[in-house]
Amino acid sequence: MIITKEQFKKDFEKKMLKLYAQEVEDSTVHMQYFTLGYLMKEYISEGWARTTNRYTKYGEKQVYYFSIEFLLGRLLASNLLNLGIRNTVSDALKDMGLSLKEIEDVEVDPGLGNGGLGRLAACFMDSMASSGIPGNGNGIRYKYGLFQQKIVDGYQVELPENWLRDDNVWEIRKSDKAVKVRFYGDAWMKPKEDGSLEPIHTDFQEVLAVPYDTALVGYENKTVNTLRLWNAEVPNYTDDIQGELNFNKVLLNKREIESISEVLYPDDSHHDGRVLRLKQEYFFVSAGLQSIVAQHKDSGHSLSELHNYVAVHINDTHPAVAIPELMRILMDEEGMEWAEAWHITQNTMSYTNHTIMSEALEKWQIDLFKELLPRIYLIIGEIDRRFREILSSKFGEDQNQIEKMAIISGGYVRMAHLCIHGSHSVNGVAKLHTELLKSQELRDFYMLYPYKFNNKTNGITHRRWLMLANPELSNLLDETIGNSWRRNPQDLKLFKKYKRDPEIQKKVEQIKKNNKEKLAAYIKEKNGIIVDPNSIFDVHVKRLHAYKRQLLNALHILHQYHEILENPNFEMLPKTYIFAAKAAPGYYFAKEIIKFINALAEQINNDPRVKDRIKIVFLENYSVTLAEQIIPASEVSEQISTTTKEASGTSNMKFMMNGAVTLATLDGANVEILEEVGHPNIVIFGMTEKEVLNYYRNGGYNSREIYESDARVKRVLDSLTNGFIKGIQVEGQDIFKNLIDYNDEFFVLKDFDSYVAAQKKMEDLYRDRFTWNKMSIENISSSGVFSSDVTVMQYASGIWDTRIIER
Ligand code: NBG
């Protein structure tokens, strides 16, 4: 949009007066935030209405991205950026004596996700709007986002994150679009006179799903898409009295019902088998589909054409019940026959798998499922029966094979199998991950449905992760290669030609230094630790999980510590190791690793013999906002998961785009980062995929042998248990046990040697400033393909079959 400074000032003053009966000069920064936020919403609303109308009027096929998590991050800055008025607003505010930065800092970061999966959904939303793809998000409006993490005495403490305590300026409650979702009761098929069967569902509990819509503003285009998050509420029983409901029962129900949209499950890989989680899943899926079908009918299209107008994307298995739910709506409510309903459902649905970690592949006990969702269970039963017929025709009498692939088997409903059978497309999130799905985890399904499988490597929005997070680098890019990269991120490759340019190298180095200084100030303020901005900032930030191997990193630091103590003149470049990670509250081992890192930090940071050669910082409460501060200040990007375990990773792409050099195993999208930057510009170590698979398949790994034969490993591990590191009696023992007695499931010790060498190599590269800066520039300029704009275009053409309305 176009607005002058003067006009904005007038609007802002007027808005402030209206909202708070206050003049700008007497306002608090809190008031300024809400004034600006509500004003932005007004600015956005016209384009929003226009976009929605345009989609309906021209019968555009729309994508609905169903996800149990959306980790959006703060919206004020990104909305201002995408509207194209951030500079104007910033200048105008400055004229009024206000600071945009301070105002932006008032916004609460809505943590409606755990990690990569939720953040990917948010990047996709930004990219769909910015690429002119008619795309909507559909999810849950959790009252409490992911817990706030405090570190107390080295331990993680979890506090509730009440992000809605103030108004959320971005959402619009749409009570008139509320729908009802049914749980429990009895469901059966009643024979009718003509011999056909009629589905009956009685004695159910009804929950009102109320949508809250948030605008998703495209970057300097005319598109404003919608994110719809559902809130669970008690229906108004006076409209619809069911049986013997009485007041007390209503109150009791209220607690139970409202809990559906109360908390986000703080776990992205272990699934918690509680009923509430399945309730959440059905809740937002049913509400979303009901509103999609209603809208489709409103616009006058026939339901038999639904799949030509609607694509529903199932983000991991959490929304898998979308498949039977759409069947239910089409059959029970719209009177369609099975065959047609199935054809439409399969052609509407597509599914992304985000992990091969088996504990995250959802399956539900039949009893639990049937009790909570009796009608849906009947439909899945029929889907399974028909699927088994297909399998029989293929595998004949091979019952084992049939059971292995069935949807309902062994007392469970398997959601991934349901997704694959019920969708027309199944994709992995990086080349290696997709290959592993095809050759290992989902091999049988790949043999059955080879045409459904495809790869869509993840991406990140360069608007948030470069333009907003790193304005200085963005300006340098504009000055050197012009600003076309902002719209076409692949143009970042134009920057490559400056890789040997001493002046540009110096500038890139200086920008990194400035960002490091800012982070150092933050660290000092938060942790009271003084870090040297001239030291190497080596950064490991992501969810805490054993397979991500924060432990390997920490053990290496401990090793370096021993080296220094043994040889006081030990040569090394000063290093600042930065960690940030939340551990799922029930994930005991992950929490022990946090304690270990903090104990190590406490000891090393305060040991005068180290002479500041090593500093360790654990920043609490990792979030999108914190990531935006850390990543632009990073030099070494730790991507050291056990090969085969990280489906893709996305922070690896963010670091690269900000000029950090990746220290990586050949896992997930690291493989593709290597393809883009080439061997000289990345440091690779560790076991190959083949070695890992071979060990998992055939055994033969013995971590104790390494402990006994490698003196460095022995020294490090012994110091976990012999009191050398203070304050980790329990944790030290447990980590030792995990690595030695339980044979080190994630090959930490197996990769130790090559990790030490890789760290050394990084340091040598860093010493040579010309080489390092060149590497940094190579990374920045090769990162464009990892923009999620590129990814969503591939989804649009390869999976959703949606038109790109504008670019
Ligand atoms: C995560 C993977 C990451 C991947 C993101 C986004 C889950 C279940 N999976 O490797 O662990 O980058 O999904 O695809 O959160």
Side-chain angles (χ1 to χ4, degrees):
M1 72 179 276
I2 296 167
I3 190 163
T4 62
K5 243 168 48 165
E6 293 320 310
Q7 183 60 46
F8 170 78
K9 284 189 208 167
K10 270 193 215 138
D11 292 352
F12 186 79
E13 282 162 0
K14 212 162 102 195
K15 189 88 207 157
M16 173 78 76
L17 211 56
K18 256 199 201 159
L19 278 175
Y20 294 105
Q22 193 109 29
E23 301 289 342
V24 171
E25 56 263 37
D26 305 321
S27 63
T28 63
V29 68
H30 199 259
M31 292 173 183
Q32 293 153 18
Y33 166 73
F34 284 98
T35 302
L36 186 53
Y38 283 116
L39 186 57
M40 282 313 115
K41 191 154 80 180
E42 275 171 30
Y43 287 173
I44 292 165
S45 58
E46 206 177 299
W48 197 3
R50 225 184 294 120
T51 304
T52 313
N53 292 337
R54 194 176 39 165
Y55 290 164
T56 332
K57 187 165 160 208
Y58 296 106
E60 293 298 347
K61 183 171 185 182
Q62 294 191 52
V63 184
Y64 295 85
Y65 198 82
F66 278 32
S67 178
I68 203 152
E69 303 186 2
F70 285 94
L71 200 45
L72 291 179
R74 290 171 172 168
L75 289 179
L76 178 55
S78 65
N79 283 341
L80 285 167
L81 175 80
N82 287 3
L83 285 172
I85 58 173
R86 195 149 178 266
N87 293 338
T88 312
V89 166
S90 174
D91 290 349
L93 290 169
K94 204 183 282 161
D95 289 354
M96 292 189 271
L98 310 180
S99 144
L100 177 58
K101 170 89 183 54
E102 274 172 33
I103 296 174
E104 285 173 351
D105 276 340
V106 173
E107 185 170 1
V108 195
D109 183 339
L112 308 187
N114 275 287
L117 177 135
R119 184 53 231 173
L120 184 77
C123 282
F124 280 9
M125 289 299 114
D126 185 61
S127 284
M128 278 196 245
S130 298
S131 309
I133 297 171
N136 309 267
N138 186 65
I140 299 176
R141 179 180 181 267
Y142 301 102
K143 186 165 169 201
Y144 296 97
L146 186 61
F147 64 88
Q148 250 190 74
Q149 181 197 51
K150 292 257 173 250
I151 300 296
V152 179
D153 197 19
Y155 293 101
Q156 166 173 301
V157 174
E158 298 112 30
L159 301 174
E161 172 60 286
N162 185 4
W163 71 288
L164 289 170
R165 63 184 171 271
D166 286 324
D167 267 5
N168 170 7
V169 298
W170 306 114
E171 65 185 12
I172 298 181
R173 180 181 165 93
K174 302 227 165 119
S175 317
D176 56 325
K177 294 259 159 59
V179 297
K180 287 177 186 163
V181 178
R182 294 175 175 183
F183 295 100
Y184 301 109
D186 296 311
W188 71 93
M189 301 304 288
K190 182 172 151 195
K192 287 203 294 198
E193 273 177 13
D194 64 1
S196 65
L197 296 170
E198 185 192 357
I200 307 285
H201 188 184
T202 58
D203 296 328
F204 42 79
Q205 177 194 51
E206 254 182 354
V207 173
L208 192 69
V210 183
Y212 282 73
D213 288 355
T214 298
L216 303 162
V217 183
Y219 177 67
E220 296 189 351
N221 64 10
K222 294 198 178 81
T223 298
V224 183
N225 286 339
T226 304
L227 169 64
R228 176 160 281 185
L229 301 178
W230 297 92
N231 200 48
E233 298 177 18
V234 180
N236 187 352
Y237 289 104
T238 53
D239 313 337
D240 176 12
I241 294 177
Q242 270 189 52
E244 35 174 335
L245 264 176
N246 61 42
F247 187 66
N248 281 336
K249 202 165 159 196
V250 169
L251 275 187
L252 262 179
N253 264 351
K254 184 172 151 71
R255 276 291 323 131
E256 192 189 330
I257 285 175
E258 288 175 354
S259 71
I260 296 175
S261 55
E262 199 145 84
V263 286
L264 164 78
Y265 269 73
D267 202 331
D268 61 355
S269 59
H270 296 73
H271 105 259
D272 191 319
R274 287 171 56 194
V275 183
L276 184 55
R277 174 71 172 205
L278 184 56
K279 252 191 198 172
Q280 291 185 328
E281 295 180 354
Y282 184 65
F283 169 72
F284 86 95
V285 162
S286 173
L289 285 173
Q290 289 185 55
S291 83
I292 291 167
V293 169
Q295 203 173 311
H296 179 79
K297 283 165 59 180
D298 272 357
S299 49
H301 305 298
S302 143
L303 272 179
S304 52
E305 279 197 284
L306 184 74
H307 53 292
N308 296 328
Y309 291 92
V310 168
V312 172
H313 201 83
I314 301 180
N315 193 32
D316 225 27
T317 55
H318 321 121
V321 281
I323 291 161
E325 174 64 4
L326 184 55
M327 290 295 287
R328 184 192 69 76
I329 296 174
L330 294 177
M331 296 186 307
D332 298 5
E333 290 180 15
E334 306 295 339
M336 204 177 267
E337 291 298 324
W338 181 281
E340 189 182 11
W342 184 246
H343 173 78
I344 293 168
T345 300
Q346 267 191 327
N347 283 293
T348 303
M349 303 288 164
S350 48
Y351 157 63
T352 298
N353 173 290
H354 289 269
T355 186
I356 62 164
M357 300 293 290
S358 56
E359 70 262 31
L361 292 178
E362 285 185 302
K363 49 184 194 184
W364 299 103
Q365 275 170 9
I366 288 179
D367 293 345
L368 175 159
F369 200 103
K370 214 178 188 166
E371 188 190 339
L372 185 67
L373 304 173
R375 176 64 188 131
I376 294 302
Y377 183 75
L378 285 180
I379 294 171
I380 297 182
E382 182 60 16
I383 296 175
D384 183 54
R385 192 185 67 74
R386 289 170 187 246
F387 184 44
R388 282 167 178 268
E389 279 176 9
I390 299 174
L391 294 174
S392 294
S393 69
K394 199 144 175 118
F395 302 110
E397 294 307 299
D398 187 352
Q399 271 307 315
N400 274 346
Q401 187 60 24
I402 295 173
E403 286 309 321
K404 220 167 106 196
M405 298 179 70
I407 295 165
I408 303 180
S409 178
Y412 288 95
V413 186
R414 298 156 168 172
M415 305 314 266
H417 296 193
L418 176 62
C419 285
I420 301 166
H421 179 52
S423 303
H424 64 87
S425 165
V426 177
N427 74 284
V429 289
K431 279 187 201 163
L432 173 64
H433 171 59
T434 301
E435 285 314 308
L436 286 168
L437 291 177
K438 296 199 303 200
S439 64
Q440 314 281 326
E441 269 60 30
L442 303 178
R443 184 163 187 276
D444 294 330
F445 285 91
Y446 177 58
M447 305 303 274
L448 182 66
Y449 293 133
Y451 50 89
K452 292 192 183 184
F453 283 73
N454 62 92
N455 177 59
K456 297 285 172 283
T457 298
N458 283 165
I460 55 163
T461 166
H462 62 289
R463 285 168 291 277
R464 181 173 295 270
W465 298 107
L466 179 52
M467 291 190 212
L468 286 174
N470 204 340
E472 282 192 66
L473 181 56
S474 303
N475 289 339
L476 178 63
L477 289 165
D478 289 349
E479 283 161 24
T480 48
I481 61 172
N483 62 9
S484 65
W485 64 275
R486 293 180 179 255
R487 198 166 283 285
N488 295 308
Q490 306 223 48
D491 283 355
L492 284 171
K493 63 177 174 291
L494 300 172
F495 196 46
K496 204 166 253 188
K497 67 167 178 280
Y498 295 97
K499 65 186 180 190
R500 294 173 202 282
D501 183 322
E503 200 190 325
I504 301 303
Q505 279 209 356
K506 223 165 97 205
K507 284 189 177 166
V508 169
E509 187 173 339
Q510 187 59 45
I511 290 167
K512 185 61 81 180
K513 178 86 182 296
N514 297 345
N515 292 333
K516 286 166 75 181
E517 273 165 9
K518 279 186 220 147
L519 184 61
Y522 180 86
I523 291 171
K524 180 160 175 247
E525 184 198 324
K526 294 285 168 182
N527 292 38
I529 301 171
I530 311 247
V531 303
D532 178 3
N534 291 311
S535 63
I536 307 177
F537 277 25
D538 180 319
V539 181
H540 203 164
V541 291
K542 47 184 79 254
R543 291 279 292 189
L544 216 138
H545 199 293
Y547 85 77
K548 296 179 188 277
R549 298 201 297 191
Q550 283 95 347
L551 186 54
L552 176 58
N553 186 348
L555 293 179
H556 169 258
I557 303 172
L558 179 50
H559 162 69
Q560 278 191 324
Y561 181 38
H562 279 294
E563 296 282 282
I564 292 173
L565 297 187
E566 197 176 276
N567 170 13
N569 299 320
F570 178 71
E571 273 273 328
M572 69 174 277
L573 289 179
K575 272 195 116 174
T576 300
Y577 291 99
I578 297 169
F579 294 87
K582 289 182 180 178
Y587 189 178
Y588 192 71
F589 188 59
K591 291 171 133 180
E592 293 195 311
I593 293 171
I594 292 183
K595 171 64 182 174
F596 169 47
I597 294 171
N598 282 310
L600 198 64
E602 181 68 22
Q603 187 157 334
I604 293 181
N605 293 347
N606 296 305
D607 189 334
R609 296 170 294 178
V610 176
K611 294 209 205 79
D612 293 341
R613 274 172 288 186
I614 304 178
K615 281 280 162 77
I616 307 176
V617 177
F618 189 103
L619 286 167
E620 66 185 11
N621 205 34
Y622 188 54
S623 60
V624 174
T625 304
L626 186 52
E628 288 167 23
Q629 273 167 279
I630 296 174
I631 292 171
S634 303
E635 293 172 302
V636 176
S637 158
E638 297 268 359
Q639 307 299 337
I640 63 176
S641 53
T642 309
T643 300
T644 72
K645 295 294 181 190
E646 190 70 271
S648 160
T650 40
S651 73
N652 45 4
M653 302 165 182
K654 298 165 196 164
F655 281 104
M656 172 194 192
M657 196 173 266
N658 282 278
V661 177
T662 315
L663 172 53
T665 48
L666 279 179
D667 198 17
N670 300 343
V671 177
E672 285 150 86
I673 291 182
L674 166 63
E675 274 172 23
E676 293 301 320
V677 297
H679 270 291
N681 300 303
I682 186 169
V683 176
I684 299 293
F685 77 99
M687 297 164 79
T688 61
E689 163 210 348
K690 282 204 181 66
E691 288 172 279
V692 172
L693 292 178
N694 184 41
Y695 272 134
Y696 280 132
R697 222 174 285 137
N698 305 319
Y701 176 53
N702 184 347
S703 61
R704 192 177 287 276
E705 267 170 22
I706 300 178
Y707 169 68
E708 277 161 6
S709 63
D710 186 332
R712 297 164 309 171
V713 172
K714 182 151 195 323
R715 181 171 65 178
V716 162
L717 289 197
D718 287 347
S719 61
L720 293 177
T721 54
N722 62 13
F724 175 79
I725 303 292
K726 307 282 172 293
I728 54 159
Q729 289 77 352
V730 178
E731 296 78 13
Q733 295 283 353
D734 285 350
I735 294 170
F736 186 92
K737 259 192 253 165
N738 179 285
L739 294 177
I740 303 298
D741 300 347
Y742 306 145
N743 204 28
D744 183 15
E745 183 184 352
F746 296 107
F747 304 108
V748 173
L749 302 187
K750 182 78 190 165
D751 277 346
F752 185 80
D753 179 56
S754 68
Y755 184 61
V756 173
Q759 277 282 7
K760 183 78 186 58
K761 182 171 171 196
M762 250 324 166
E763 202 185 308
D764 291 342
L765 290 165
Y766 194 88
R767 256 193 196 107
D768 175 356
R769 298 315 292 157
F770 174 81
T771 304
W772 186 269
N773 289 329
K774 182 168 145 284
M775 290 170 81
S776 184
I777 292 174
E778 290 267 15
N779 271 276
I780 298 165
S781 49
S782 307
S783 67
V785 289
F786 297 110
S787 166
S788 44
D789 290 10
V790 177
T791 317
V792 297
M793 296 292 257
Q794 291 167 354
Y795 274 84
S797 61
I799 298 179
W800 303 325
D801 196 20
T802 43
R803 228 159 54 95
I804 312 302
I805 312 283
E806 56 169 354
R807 280 284 291 148

